[in-house]
């Protein structure tokens, strides 16, 4: 009779421990659901698109600056040549 009581106590104790651990991991664990993973993927795609647009904008801005500097340099060279003549 005592063996059965000890066995039942052990099984109930393990069950309660497992349920408590599961509840703890549900609230504090790092497991994410499929929906949360999909939201993260979508957010990363949006960030990537923004980054690519910013890189393209910076490249265009850099080209415009270089063109402006080239024109200013050409104007300075032309002005210096006219001043010497």
């Amino acid at each position: 009779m005592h063996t059965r009581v000890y066995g039942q106590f052990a099984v109930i104790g393990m069950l309660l421990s497992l349920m408590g651990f599961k509840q703890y991991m549900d609230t504090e664990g790092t497991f994410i659901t499929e929906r949360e993973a999909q939201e993260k993927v979508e957010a990363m795609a949006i960030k990537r698109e923004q980054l690519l647009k910013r890189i393209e904008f910076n490249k265009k801005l850099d080209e415009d600056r270089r063109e402006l500097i080239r024109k200013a340099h050409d104007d300075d060279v032309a002005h210096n040549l006219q001043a010497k003549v």
Side-chain angles (χ1 to χ4, degrees):
M1 174 93 174
H2 292 314
T3 304
R4 184 174 64 189
V5 172
Y6 291 142
Q8 289 172 347
F9 177 74
V11 169
I12 289 173
M14 286 188 288
L15 179 64
L16 289 176
S17 299
L18 181 64
M19 289 172 57
F21 180 71
K22 183 195 178 301
Q23 184 176 3
Y24 172 77
M25 290 306 290
D26 284 345
T27 58
E28 302 294 328
T30 58
F31 177 76
I32 61 172
T33 63
E34 184 68 29
R35 181 180 54 82
E36 291 170 339
Q38 189 62 31
E39 289 173 357
K40 284 187 177 184
V41 167
E42 290 171 3
M44 288 170 56
I46 291 170
K47 293 284 187 184
R48 182 179 186 276
E49 190 64 33
Q50 290 173 346
L51 176 64
L52 292 174
K53 285 180 182 178
R54 189 171 66 213
I55 289 171
E56 188 64 33
F57 175 77
N58 287 341
K59 190 182 293 184
K60 174 76 168 101
L61 193 61
D62 192 38
E63 289 173 5
D64 292 345
R65 287 179 183 153
R66 286 184 180 160
E67 182 64 23
L68 184 64
I69 289 171
R70 187 191 61 76
K71 285 181 182 179
H73 176 65
D74 291 346
D75 289 345
D76 286 344
V77 169
H79 181 67
N80 285 338
L81 287 178
Q82 289 176 357
K84 290 181 180 180
V85 175

